Amino acid sequence: MRSSLTSCLQEQPLVECLQLELPQPSLNDNTGDLDRLGRAIKHRGFAPLQFNPLRVKEFAQQIRRENFKVTAVLGFNECHWELIDVLPGLSKHRNLGFAVDLGTSQVAFYLVDLKEREILAQTSIANPQVVYGEDILTRILFARQKENLQTLQDLLIEAFNQTMQNMLAERNLSASNVYSMAIAGNTTMSHFLLGLDPTNICKEPYIPAANRFPFYHAKDLKLAVHPEALVYVFPNVGSYFGGDLIAGILNSGLHRSEEVSIFVDVGTNAEVVLGNRDWLIACAGAAGPALEGGVVERGMMAAPGAIDRVRIDPATLEPSYRVLGKQKPVGICGSGLIDLMAEMFAAGILTIQGKINTQLNSPHIIDTPDGPAYVVAFARETSDGKDLYVSEIDVGIFLKSKAAMYTILTVIINKVGLSFSDLKHFFVAGTFGNYIDPAMAIRIGMIPDLPVETYQGLGNTAGYGAAMLLLDRSLLQDIDRVCNQVTYIELNVNMELMNEFRGALFLPHTDPRLFPSVQIPEGGLAMGN
Amino acid sequence: MRSSLTSCLQEQPLVECLQLELPQPSLNDNTGDLDRLGRAIKHRGFAPLQFNPLRVKEFAQQIRRENFKVTAVLGFNECHWELIDVLPGLSKHRNLGFAVDLGTSQVAFYLVDLKEREILAQTSIANPQVVYGEDILTRILFARQKENLQTLQDLLIEAFNQTMQNMLAERNLSASNVYSMAIAGNTTMSHFLLGLDPTNICKEPYIPAANRFPFYHAKDLKLAVHPEALVYVFPNVGSYFGGDLIAGILNSGLHRSEEVSIFVDVGTNAEVVLGNRDWLIACAGAAGPALEGGVVERGMMAAPGAIDRVRIDPATLEPSYRVLGKQKPVGICGSGLIDLMAEMFAAGILTIQGKINTQLNSPHIIDTPDGPAYVVAFARETSDGKDLYVSEIDVGIFLKSKAAMYTILTVIINKVGLSFSDLKHFFVAGTFGNYIDPAMAIRIGMIPDLPVETYQGLGNTAGYGAAMLLLDRSLLQDIDRVCNQVTYIELNVNMELMNEFRGALFLPHTDPRLFPSVQIPEGGLAMGN
């Protein structure tokens, strides 16, 4: 994170505070008060400058009251500068902003100091709309009624305001010094935030009400920061390619490099962007939930109580694990599952077909109503006092997800006639990207067999990308370019795709030449029971 | 007037209505609804385009509701286009605007059809602020209290709304089709309209709160036309050079010609602009009131009952006159006074010193408490049953005004090292300019002795200039240029000025070489009693 932000040290923020000592009026200079301010601002290179007509009166008064010594707060609105406020005197004023990753489940907030170029605080809350539907589709259906759409918007705004207020209060900072916000969400979330009708997003031909949004002002959305604060909502490329991905690309730098890289965001869907500074191709597929810890019986998000690391002694078949937070294990999260599958496979517990080898002699291999299973933690170790195990059915579900992921990656790389070895970087977004152990993921054939240093976890790329924009307004041009460059491809279910998928259902793959570094363990080829 | 407006036939208006049949959405074109509209607008050359964030939702809905057939109303806001409205379907919509000359005493309204390029109606009302002071200074002092400033603004807005409403209702037109307004007023009136503090306008160093104003929207000022209508208020050059003059220059075309011309607006002050496309110099002086019919005992504005034309038979000294409206004379207006002075002088009734020759034998030459006088209409002819005469005191007052006018003209022409014969055009603004007989004004030495065809009355140049802007947005650049070019010179009372003024107090002047066409009448050199 720190490195991402410091990389743009020479860049200029979205909002700037200019301390201006204006020349006193005289008979030789009959420039009007406000024009005097405008002239000084333009001389500093901020042009064209646009005055908000509603504040002309107030600003002119402020200039006189402060005897021509004022601080101008200027916001960059793409084709012109806006005078957000005229503050008294030449003392230092804070220049704050909020970057927000507006996810379907979670909303992450970053309080940014635009002048000191640092993130002062960050926090994450559950998306309050969850009560009206866990998934996007349910919420879109709920929003069909106009007042419900309003309800969803109100919920978000309220949660935004409360969270921002808390973050500011904890640091004794004032909302009136927050002059900018950058919000990156998927297409539907952005529609909800702006109160736009999302109906057509999920109806063929899947057209959003708007892909690009104008700059809003905080007051337009009832956001409780400076009323004239610029609010930038990242544009979408389409219904299935949202502003969160645009912000992610920005954060990865993929779009600026000569070399080809790939960017993967595993959420509800796995979203993939491949390209370089000249071209970008993207697709998405339902690879996600199991990889993130969902669906699988004892799967869970990376949160306290989640097992996130697993090792299995191949000699004794005894597991060792790490739990997030200081507590007994509750479940197992995405990176834990990947570790577990990889270690079970390496220890010969899992066959290449994903079957559990019940002929092995270990108290950890048990029989359950869901068939054979491997116990990671016995009842005495877990927080709910029940065995924490993974059954063959769980393994099957998981393998479908990992196969879907590998299939998507294969399809997109084939589409442009490249091979995985052409990739300079393989960026993995999300908490998932930070926790995952690439060697393990390679071992199960979820991601291609590349040198592990190719893999780079980026964390919350949407939130970081939004924060970067606050610190570097030139990225607006990048966003524009990225939006125009992205070619989104639909993954039609065809024979080629099905063949790819079937091969990828195995551990690591039916074609071992694709994973030369993975050693097929002894007994790995044995059929399960 | 008609000629002024038709001269810009190829020009493009400030607001345009585009009928757009947008391509239907498909899987091959995932452009968002609003982006689809934006794209079509940009393809027609209207870029950069800015969406009002508050109307994004509504516009997106309108596009769907109208099945992608809509009419976009676009307003030109200098550095970008604004989407004022999205109207249903492709049927023809009116594109109306109001041009307003916002004077201290009178406010003139012009209802303009921007598409048909014609003025549909015009009307004039008294400035409702008159009840708080006839003159600017009184009103500025009144406005010192904040609530009074608000009162003055409210009065104006209310009068605007009522007048516009009446004009529209008479023609069965809707206020919602009025998408633009252009308002030209002097610096103080513009401040009042916008609620800006005018205090410093009349206090050294005479700095207005603002010389240039951003585009307002009708709703910002509570103007009862389309709420998003663009409202342009002409900029000032300084406290004593207002937007009315900028509009006047625009209307005259002075600033576009290679040849040097002069523009004179006689109001409370005489305001003078000299120049061509490369340079402009301006000044103002208190020459006005008497020339407009004020101050002089029986003087009045050009209105029903005013004598506006006078001829005197040099043989019999009998006057003949014309009265405005079908009624008995009430007073004598500016052009009538000029005629009267010129004819009295030609008939030998006035000496070159402005004295009445009481040795002449005529019942029209009488003695009054104000000294000798000439009766234009006897009691039996007038509406108030009193003799309508002009005394030597009146003549003295009038001569001071005409001398001031000639002095200002002399000073400004000398300032740039030119002589009057270098002038291509001598534009005279205002009703005054339409009524005045140049030959008569030359005879009394009020204006230079140029061929009469040099003089051109333009009527309400501020109102026409404002109307021209509605029809030709490229004039915004002209305005910018004019504002930057104008050099305003203060007329300091110095010896040179006083000498000029003293010479100009005579009829036509102490230096007859300046008026070769004027014949000094027999007895003109005789001293009065």
Side-chain angles (χ1 to χ4, degrees):
Chain A
M1 177 60 201
R2 192 159 288 274
S3 66
S4 310
L5 290 184
T6 48
S7 71
C8 46
L9 251 173
Q10 309 92 317
E11 307 303 342
Q12 291 169 317
L14 196 65
V15 169
E16 298 213 26
C17 295
L18 296 188
Q19 295 166 307
L20 297 168
E21 192 162 351
L22 307 175
Q24 293 282 330
S26 72
L27 280 174
N28 297 325
D29 179 2
N30 67 348
T31 311
D33 294 346
L34 203 64
D35 311 82
R36 199 169 289 267
L37 176 65
R39 188 176 60 183
I41 290 170
K42 284 177 198 161
H43 279 184
R44 295 277 285 269
F46 298 84
L49 174 65
Q50 197 160 311
F51 286 95
N52 178 346
L54 290 172
R55 310 207 61 208
V56 159
K57 183 177 175 172
E58 193 184 330
F59 290 165
Q61 283 170 347
Q62 180 80 295
I63 295 166
R64 282 275 166 180
R65 200 184 303 123
E66 296 296 323
N67 197 25
F68 297 89
K69 291 178 191 68
V70 291
T71 298
V73 183
L74 291 162
F76 186 63
N77 186 340
E78 267 195 298
C79 71
H80 61 261
W81 286 90
E82 282 182 16
L83 188 55
I84 292 177
D85 210 343
V86 177
L87 305 176
L90 304 176
S91 56
K92 281 199 180 182
H93 298 272
R94 300 295 293 241
N95 178 3
L96 305 175
F98 275 103
V100 184
D101 163 28
L102 174 52
T104 307
S105 322
Q106 296 280 313
V107 188
F109 294 81
Y110 300 83
L111 173 55
V112 183
D113 187 318
L114 275 69
K115 195 168 179 189
E116 304 301 330
R117 313 187 61 76
E118 59 177 336
I119 289 181
L120 302 177
Q122 65 186 76
T123 196
S124 182
I125 59 164
N127 186 322
Q129 298 176 338
V130 166
V131 293
Y132 293 106
E134 288 273 348
D135 62 305
I136 287 184
L137 194 61
T138 313
R139 284 186 228 171
I140 290 181
L141 293 176
F142 173 72
R144 271 192 190 165
Q145 285 203 294
K146 215 176 164 184
E147 59 272 26
N148 290 348
L149 179 57
Q150 184 68 56
T151 302
L152 290 174
Q153 185 185 20
D154 291 348
L155 271 177
L156 268 189
I157 300 293
E158 211 176 296
F160 268 60
N161 287 343
Q162 196 155 4
T163 310
M164 296 192 294
Q165 174 55 31
N166 291 345
M167 293 174 77
L168 290 164
E170 275 173 25
R171 278 148 205 92
N172 246 328
L173 294 170
S174 163
S176 64
N177 288 127
V178 177
Y179 304 115
S180 56
M181 290 184 68
I183 302 165
N186 61 52
T187 306
T188 306
M189 288 309 122
S190 298
H191 274 57
F192 282 145
L193 178 73
L194 302 176
L196 301 177
D197 183 1
T199 312
N200 296 304
I201 289 178
C202 60
K203 239 167 59 185
E204 204 184 313
Y206 316 110
I207 307 295
N211 276 325
R212 304 201 186 190
F213 313 104
F215 273 89
Y216 282 70
H217 296 107
K219 63 175 180 196
D220 302 341
L221 295 170
K222 301 201 184 93
L223 287 166
V225 292
H226 189 294
E228 304 294 334
L230 287 180
V231 179
Y232 181 76
V233 179
F234 274 74
N236 319 301
V237 171
S239 285
Y240 296 116
F241 195 102
D244 48 352
L245 281 176
I246 301 288
I249 295 172
L250 224 58
N251 180 236
S252 73
L254 177 84
H255 67 297
R256 282 187 168 183
S257 166
E258 197 173 352
E259 289 149 320
V260 175
S261 295
I262 200 162
F263 173 93
V264 177
D265 190 358
V266 180
T268 311
N269 275 316
E271 289 159 326
V272 178
V273 182
L274 174 71
N276 62 7
R277 66 182 182 196
D278 298 318
W279 54 270
L280 293 165
I281 182 165
C283 68
L291 302 184
E292 268 202 315
V295 188
V296 169
E297 182 78 24
R298 296 298 291 252
M300 67 178 286
M301 301 286 291
I307 292 175
D308 76 320
R309 278 270 168 279
V310 182
R311 290 292 179 272
I312 296 175
D313 184 326
T316 63
L317 306 187
E318 282 293 320
S320 58
Y321 54 80
R322 186 173 74 182
V323 184
L324 295 179
K326 289 186 174 176
Q327 60 175 95
K328 289 184 168 182
V330 176
I332 184 162
C333 71
S335 60
L337 277 170
I338 292 169
D339 273 15
L340 180 61
M341 301 293 154
E343 287 288 275
M344 283 169 74
F345 179 55
I349 300 168
L350 273 188
T351 65
I352 64 165
Q353 295 93 344
K355 299 293 174 195
I356 290 176
N357 186 349
T358 50
Q359 292 159 5
L360 291 174
N361 186 18
S362 163
H364 286 273
I365 296 170
I366 61 169
D367 207 29
T368 74
D370 290 340
Y374 177 79
V375 182
V376 185
F378 286 112
R380 61 176 181 280
E381 306 166 52
T382 65
S383 78
D384 62 356
K386 290 179 186 164
D387 285 351
L388 200 165
Y389 60 78
V390 176
S391 71
E392 235 176 52
I393 290 183
D394 287 336
V395 172
I397 292 171
F398 187 85
L399 291 189
K400 276 187 190 140
S401 274
K402 82 98 186 165
M405 171 62 92
Y406 190 75
T407 305
I408 296 168
L409 296 173
T410 306
V411 168
I412 198 167
I413 202 90
N414 287 346
K415 197 87 182 178
V416 292
L418 293 177
S419 67
F420 288 128
S421 58
D422 294 316
L423 295 178
K424 172 77 174 173
H425 294 289
F426 192 114
F427 298 112
V428 189
T431 1
F432 182 74
N434 278 349
Y435 285 99
I436 193 183
D437 181 338
M440 295 291 181
I442 290 169
R443 193 191 290 165
I444 60 167
M446 180 180 132
I447 54 178
D449 195 358
L450 298 172
V452 287
E453 59 274 19
T454 313
Y455 291 95
Q456 206 173 317
L458 295 179
N460 186 342
T461 54
Y464 297 162
M468 282 170 71
L469 178 72
L470 295 180
L471 296 175
D472 179 6
R473 58 182 178 258
S474 79
L475 291 177
L476 286 171
Q477 290 165 35
D478 289 48
I479 292 171
D480 224 39
R481 187 162 61 78
V482 168
C483 282
N484 290 328
Q485 274 180 349
V486 169
T487 306
Y488 186 83
I489 54 169
E490 283 293 333
L491 291 184
N492 298 311
V493 180
N494 57 26
M495 279 311 291
E496 186 211 348
L497 197 74
M498 281 313 292
N499 285 336
E500 286 295 340
F501 182 70
R502 275 200 213 98
L505 275 174
F506 289 76
L507 284 170
H509 198 278
T510 46
D511 184 355
R513 286 170 303 177
L514 294 173
F515 291 87
S517 83
V518 179
Q519 219 180 333
I520 307 300
E522 209 177 312
L525 288 167
M527 293 296 289
N529 56 327
Chain B
M1 178 58 200
R2 191 158 286 276
S3 66
S4 312
L5 290 186
T6 49
S7 71
C8 46
L9 251 173
Q10 310 93 317
E11 308 302 342
Q12 292 170 316
L14 196 65
V15 169
E16 297 213 25
C17 295
L18 296 189
Q19 295 166 308
L20 298 168
E21 193 162 351
L22 306 175
Q24 293 282 329
S26 74
L27 281 174
N28 298 324
D29 178 3
N30 67 348
T31 310
D33 295 346
L34 203 63
D35 311 82
R36 202 169 288 267
L37 177 66
R39 187 177 60 182
I41 291 170
K42 284 177 197 159
H43 278 186
R44 296 278 286 269
F46 297 84
L49 174 64
Q50 197 160 314
F51 286 95
N52 178 347
L54 291 173
R55 308 206 64 206
V56 159
K57 183 177 177 173
E58 192 183 331
F59 290 165
Q61 283 170 346
Q62 180 80 295
I63 295 165
R64 281 275 166 181
R65 199 184 304 125
E66 296 296 324
N67 196 25
F68 298 88
K69 292 178 191 69
V70 292
T71 299
V73 183
L74 292 161
F76 185 64
N77 185 342
E78 266 193 298
C79 71
H80 60 261
W81 286 90
E82 283 183 15
L83 188 54
I84 293 176
D85 211 343
V86 177
L87 305 176
L90 306 174
S91 56
K92 283 200 176 180
H93 297 272
R94 300 295 294 242
N95 179 1
L96 304 175
F98 275 103
V100 183
D101 163 29
L102 173 52
T104 308
S105 322
Q106 297 279 313
V107 187
F109 294 82
Y110 300 84
L111 173 56
V112 183
D113 187 319
L114 275 69
K115 195 169 181 190
E116 304 300 329
R117 314 188 59 75
E118 58 177 336
I119 290 182
L120 302 177
Q122 65 185 78
T123 196
S124 183
I125 60 164
N127 186 322
Q129 298 175 336
V130 165
V131 294
Y132 293 106
E134 289 272 347
D135 62 305
I136 287 182
L137 194 61
T138 313
R139 284 185 228 170
I140 290 181
L141 293 177
F142 174 74
R144 272 191 188 166
Q145 288 206 292
K146 216 178 167 184
E147 61 271 25
N148 292 346
L149 179 57
Q150 185 67 56
T151 302
L152 290 174
Q153 185 184 20
D154 292 347
L155 271 177
L156 267 188
I157 299 293
E158 209 175 297
F160 268 60
N161 287 343
Q162 194 153 7
T163 309
M164 294 191 296
Q165 174 55 31
N166 291 344
M167 291 174 79
L168 289 164
E170 275 173 26
R171 278 148 204 91
N172 246 328
L173 294 170
S174 163
S176 64
N177 288 129
V178 177
Y179 303 116
S180 56
M181 290 184 67
I183 301 165
N186 61 53
T187 306
T188 305
M189 289 307 122
S190 297
H191 275 57
F192 282 144
L193 178 73
L194 302 176
L196 301 177
D197 183 1
T199 313
N200 297 304
I201 290 179
C202 61
K203 242 166 57 186
E204 204 181 315
Y206 316 110
I207 307 294
N211 276 325
R212 305 202 187 189
F213 313 103
F215 272 89
Y216 282 70
H217 296 107
K219 63 177 180 196
D220 302 339
L221 296 169
K222 304 202 181 89
L223 287 166
V225 293
H226 190 292
E228 303 294 336
L230 287 181
V231 179
Y232 181 77
V233 179
F234 275 75
N236 318 302
V237 171
S239 286
Y240 296 116
F241 195 101
D244 49 351
L245 281 177
I246 301 287
I249 293 171
L250 225 58
N251 180 236
S252 73
L254 176 85
H255 67 296
R256 283 188 167 184
S257 167
E258 196 173 351
E259 289 148 320
V260 176
S261 295
I262 201 164
F263 173 92
V264 177
D265 191 357
V266 180
T268 311
N269 275 317
E271 289 160 324
V272 179
V273 182
L274 174 71
N276 63 7
R277 66 182 184 196
D278 298 318
W279 54 270
L280 293 164
I281 182 166
C283 68
L291 301 184
E292 267 200 316
V295 188
V296 170
E297 182 78 26
R298 296 299 291 256
M300 67 180 283
M301 300 288 288
I307 291 175
D308 76 319
R309 279 270 169 278
V310 182
R311 291 293 180 272
I312 296 175
D313 183 328
T316 63
L317 306 187
E318 280 294 318
S320 58
Y321 55 79
R322 188 174 73 182
V323 185
L324 294 178
K326 286 183 176 178
Q327 60 176 95
K328 287 183 168 182
V330 176
I332 184 162
C333 71
S335 59
L337 277 170
I338 292 169
D339 272 16
L340 180 61
M341 300 294 156
E343 287 289 272
M344 283 169 74
F345 178 55
I349 299 167
L350 274 187
T351 66
I352 63 166
Q353 294 92 346
K355 299 295 174 191
I356 291 175
N357 186 349
T358 51
Q359 291 160 4
L360 290 174
N361 185 18
S362 162
H364 286 273
I365 296 168
I366 61 170
D367 207 31
T368 74
D370 288 341
Y374 177 80
V375 183
V376 186
F378 286 113
R380 62 179 181 276
E381 305 166 55
T382 65
S383 79
D384 63 356
K386 289 180 185 163
D387 285 352
L388 200 166
Y389 61 77
V390 175
S391 70
E392 237 176 51
I393 290 182
D394 289 335
V395 172
I397 292 170
F398 188 85
L399 291 189
K400 275 185 190 139
S401 274
K402 82 95 185 169
M405 171 62 93
Y406 190 76
T407 304
I408 295 167
L409 296 172
T410 306
V411 168
I412 198 168
I413 203 93
N414 287 346
K415 197 88 182 178
V416 291
L418 293 178
S419 66
F420 289 127
S421 58
D422 294 316
L423 296 177
K424 173 75 174 176
H425 294 290
F426 191 114
F427 299 111
V428 189
T431 1
F432 182 74
N434 279 349
Y435 285 99
I436 193 182
D437 181 339
M440 295 291 182
I442 291 170
R443 194 192 288 164
I444 61 168
M446 180 179 132
I447 54 178
D449 194 358
L450 297 171
V452 287
E453 59 273 18
T454 312
Y455 291 94
Q456 207 172 316
L458 295 179
N460 186 341
T461 54
Y464 297 162
M468 282 170 70
L469 178 70
L470 294 181
L471 296 174
D472 179 6
R473 57 183 178 257
S474 79
L475 292 177
L476 286 171
Q477 289 166 34
D478 288 48
I479 292 171
D480 224 40
R481 186 161 61 79
V482 167
C483 282
N484 289 329
Q485 276 180 349
V486 168
T487 307
Y488 187 82
I489 53 169
E490 284 292 334
L491 292 183
N492 298 311
V493 180
N494 55 25
M495 279 313 290
E496 185 211 350
L497 196 76
M498 282 313 292
N499 285 337
E500 284 296 341
F501 182 69
R502 277 200 210 98
L505 277 173
F506 289 75
L507 285 169
H509 197 278
T510 45
D511 183 355
R513 286 170 306 177
L514 294 173
F515 291 87
S517 81
V518 179
Q519 222 181 330
I520 307 301
E522 210 177 312
L525 290 167
M527 292 296 289
N529 58 327

